[in-house]
Coordinates of all heavy atoms in Angstrom, one line a residue:
T11 N -29.2 19.9 -2.7 CA -29.9 20.1 -4.0 C -29.5 18.9 -5.0 O -28.4 18.2 -4.7 CB -29.6 21.4 -4.6 OG1 -28.1 21.3 -5.0 CG2 -30.0 22.5 -3.8
A12 N -30.3 18.7 -6.1 CA -29.9 17.7 -7.0 C -28.5 17.9 -7.5 O -27.8 17.0 -7.8 CB -30.9 17.6 -8.0
R13 N -28.2 19.2 -7.9 CA -26.9 19.5 -8.4 C -25.7 19.2 -7.4 O -24.8 18.5 -7.7 CB -26.7 21.0 -8.7 CG -25.4 21.4 -9.3 CD -24.8 20.6 -10.5 NE -25.9 20.4 -11.5 CZ -26.1 21.3 -12.5 NH1 -25.7 22.5 -12.5 NH2 -27.1 21.1 -13.5
D14 N -25.8 19.6 -6.1 CA -25.0 19.2 -5.1 C -24.7 17.8 -4.9 O -23.6 17.2 -4.6 CB -25.3 20.0 -3.8 CG -24.8 21.5 -3.7 OD1 -24.2 21.9 -4.6 OD2 -25.1 22.1 -2.7
A15 N -25.9 17.1 -4.9 CA -25.8 15.6 -4.7 C -25.1 15.0 -5.9 O -24.1 14.0 -5.5 CB -27.2 15.1 -4.7
E16 N -25.3 15.4 -7.1 CA -24.6 14.8 -8.2 C -23.0 15.1 -8.1 O -22.1 14.2 -8.3 CB -25.1 15.3 -9.5 CG -24.4 14.7 -10.7 CD -24.9 15.1 -12.1 OE1 -26.0 15.7 -12.1 OE2 -24.2 14.6 -13.1
L17 N -22.7 16.3 -7.8 CA -21.3 16.6 -7.5 C -20.6 15.9 -6.5 O -19.6 15.4 -6.5 CB -21.2 18.2 -7.3 CG -21.5 19.1 -8.4 CD1 -21.6 20.6 -7.8 CD2 -20.4 19.1 -9.5
A18 N -21.4 15.8 -5.3 CA -20.7 15.0 -4.1 C -20.6 13.6 -4.5 O -19.5 13.0 -4.2 CB -21.7 15.2 -3.0
A19 N -21.6 12.9 -5.1 CA -21.6 11.5 -5.4 C -20.4 11.3 -6.5 O -19.7 10.2 -6.3 CB -22.9 11.0 -6.1
S20 N -20.2 12.1 -7.5 CA -19.2 11.9 -8.5 C -17.8 12.0 -7.9 O -17.1 11.2 -8.0 CB -19.4 13.0 -9.6 OG -20.6 12.8 -10.2
A21 N -17.6 13.2 -7.0 CA -16.3 13.2 -6.5 C -16.0 12.2 -5.5 O -14.8 11.7 -5.6 CB -16.3 14.7 -5.8
R22 N -16.9 11.8 -4.6 CA -16.6 10.8 -3.6 C -16.1 9.4 -4.3 O -15.2 8.9 -3.9 CB -17.8 10.6 -2.7 CG -17.4 9.7 -1.4 CD -18.7 9.5 -0.7 NE -18.3 8.9 0.6 CZ -17.9 7.6 0.9 NH1 -17.8 6.7 -0.1 NH2 -17.5 7.2 2.1
A23 N -16.9 9.1 -5.3 CA -16.7 7.8 -5.9 C -15.3 7.8 -6.7 O -14.5 6.9 -6.7 CB -17.8 7.5 -7.0
V24 N -14.9 8.9 -7.3 CA -13.6 9.0 -8.0 C -12.5 9.1 -7.1 O -11.5 8.4 -7.3 CB -13.5 10.3 -8.9 CG1 -12.3 10.4 -9.6 CG2 -14.7 10.1 -10.1
F25 N -12.7 9.8 -6.0 CA -11.6 9.8 -4.9 C -11.4 8.4 -4.2 O -10.2 8.0 -4.1 CB -11.9 10.8 -3.9 CG -11.6 12.1 -4.1 CD1 -12.5 13.4 -3.8 CD2 -10.4 12.5 -4.6 CE1 -12.2 14.6 -4.2 CE2 -10.0 14.0 -4.9 CZ -10.9 14.9 -4.7
S26 N -12.6 7.7 -4.1 CA -12.4 6.4 -3.5 C -11.7 5.4 -4.5 O -10.8 4.7 -4.1 CB -13.8 5.8 -3.3 OG -13.8 4.4 -3.0
W27 N -11.9 5.6 -5.9 CA -11.2 4.7 -6.9 C -9.8 5.1 -6.8 O -9.0 4.1 -6.8 CB -11.9 5.0 -8.2 CG -11.1 4.4 -9.3 CD1 -11.0 3.1 -9.6 CD2 -10.2 5.1 -10.2 NE1 -10.2 2.9 -10.7 CE2 -9.7 4.1 -11.1 CE3 -9.9 6.4 -10.5 CZ2 -8.9 4.4 -12.2 CZ3 -9.0 6.7 -11.5 CH2 -8.5 5.7 -12.3
H28 N -9.4 6.3 -6.8 CA -7.9 6.7 -6.7 C -7.3 6.1 -5.5 O -6.2 5.6 -5.6 CB -7.8 8.2 -6.7 CG -7.9 8.9 -8.1 ND1 -7.1 8.6 -9.1 CD2 -8.9 9.7 -8.6 CE1 -7.5 9.3 -10.2 NE2 -8.6 10.0 -9.9
S29 N -8.0 6.1 -4.4 CA -7.4 5.6 -3.1 C -7.1 4.0 -3.3 O -6.1 3.6 -2.7 CB -8.3 5.9 -1.9 OG -7.8 5.3 -0.8
S30 N -8.0 3.3 -3.9 CA -7.9 1.9 -4.0 C -7.1 1.4 -5.2 O -7.0 0.2 -5.3 CB -9.3 1.3 -3.8 OG -10.1 1.6 -5.0
H31 N -6.8 2.4 -6.1 CA -6.1 1.9 -7.4 C -4.9 2.6 -7.6 O -4.6 3.1 -8.7 CB -7.1 2.1 -8.6 CG -8.2 1.1 -8.6 ND1 -9.3 1.2 -7.7 CD2 -8.5 -0.1 -9.3 CE1 -10.1 0.2 -7.9 NE2 -9.7 -0.6 -8.9
R32 N -4.0 2.8 -6.6 CA -2.9 3.5 -6.7 C -1.8 2.8 -7.5 O -0.9 3.4 -8.1 CB -2.4 3.9 -5.3 CG -2.9 4.9 -4.5 CD -2.3 5.0 -3.2 NE -0.8 5.3 -3.4 CZ 0.1 5.2 -2.4 NH1 -0.4 4.7 -1.2 NH2 1.3 5.5 -2.6
Y33 N -1.9 1.4 -7.7 CA -0.9 0.7 -8.4 C -1.5 0.1 -9.6 O -2.6 -0.3 -9.7 CB -0.3 -0.3 -7.4 CG 0.5 0.2 -6.1 CD1 -0.4 0.6 -5.1 CD2 1.7 0.7 -6.2 CE1 0.3 1.0 -4.0 CE2 2.3 1.3 -5.2 CZ 1.5 1.5 -4.0 OH 2.2 2.1 -2.9
C34 N -0.6 0.0 -10.7 CA -1.0 -0.5 -11.9 C -1.3 -2.0 -11.8 O -0.6 -2.7 -11.3 CB 0.2 -0.3 -12.9 SG -0.1 -1.0 -14.5
S35 N -2.4 -2.3 -12.3 CA -2.9 -3.8 -12.3 C -2.3 -4.6 -13.2 O -2.3 -5.9 -13.2 CB -4.5 -3.9 -12.5 OG -4.8 -3.2 -13.8
K36 N -1.5 -4.0 -14.2 CA -0.7 -4.8 -15.2 C 0.7 -5.0 -14.7 O 1.1 -6.2 -15.0 CB -0.7 -3.9 -16.5 CG -1.9 -3.7 -17.2 CD -1.7 -2.9 -18.5 CE -3.0 -2.8 -19.3 NZ -2.9 -2.0 -20.6
C37 N 1.4 -4.1 -14.1 CA 2.7 -4.4 -13.7 C 3.0 -4.1 -12.2 O 4.2 -4.5 -11.7 CB 3.7 -3.6 -14.6 SG 3.8 -1.9 -14.2
G38 N 2.2 -3.6 -11.5 CA 2.3 -3.4 -10.1 C 3.0 -2.1 -9.6 O 3.1 -1.8 -8.5
A39 N 3.5 -1.4 -10.6 CA 4.2 0.0 -10.4 C 3.1 1.0 -9.9 O 2.0 0.9 -10.2 CB 4.9 0.5 -11.5
E40 N 3.6 2.0 -9.2 CA 2.6 3.0 -8.7 C 2.2 4.0 -10.1 O 3.1 4.3 -10.7 CB 3.3 3.8 -7.6 CG 2.3 4.9 -7.1 CD 2.8 5.6 -5.9 OE1 3.9 5.3 -5.4 OE2 2.1 6.4 -5.3
S41 N 1.0 4.1 -10.2 CA 0.4 4.9 -11.3 C 0.2 6.4 -10.7 O 0.2 6.7 -9.6 CB -0.8 4.3 -11.9 OG -1.8 4.3 -10.7
Q42 N -0.2 7.3 -11.8 CA -0.3 8.7 -11.4 C -1.6 9.2 -12.0 O -2.1 8.8 -13.0 CB 0.8 9.5 -12.0 CG 2.2 9.1 -11.6 CD 2.5 9.3 -10.1 OE1 2.0 10.2 -9.6 NE2 3.2 8.3 -9.5
M43 N -2.3 10.0 -11.2 CA -3.5 10.7 -11.7 C -3.2 11.5 -13.0 O -2.3 12.1 -13.1 CB -4.1 11.5 -10.5 CG -5.4 12.4 -10.9 SD -5.9 13.6 -9.8 CE -6.3 12.5 -8.2
S44 N -4.3 11.4 -13.8 CA -4.1 12.2 -15.2 C -5.4 12.5 -15.6 O -6.6 12.1 -15.0 CB -3.2 11.3 -16.2 OG -4.0 10.2 -16.5

């Protein structure tokens, strides 16, 4: 459904971002989800 598709797209994209951005781009230390 349109609702399920939006939920899936949102979650997949955000999880992908967390996976590829674990470390701070300013200092290199590991960052935390918030």
Side-chain angles (χ1 to χ4, degrees):
T11 65
R13 176 56 48 81
D14 276 358
E16 181 176 357
L17 290 169
S20 301
R22 192 187 193 283
V24 175
F25 279 134
S26 175
W27 172 73
H28 281 294
S29 177
S30 61
H31 288 73
R32 286 179 55 197
Y33 298 92
C34 176
S35 60
K36 294 182 178 180
C37 73
E40 186 168 5
S41 59
Q42 302 298 320
M43 180 188 292
S44 64

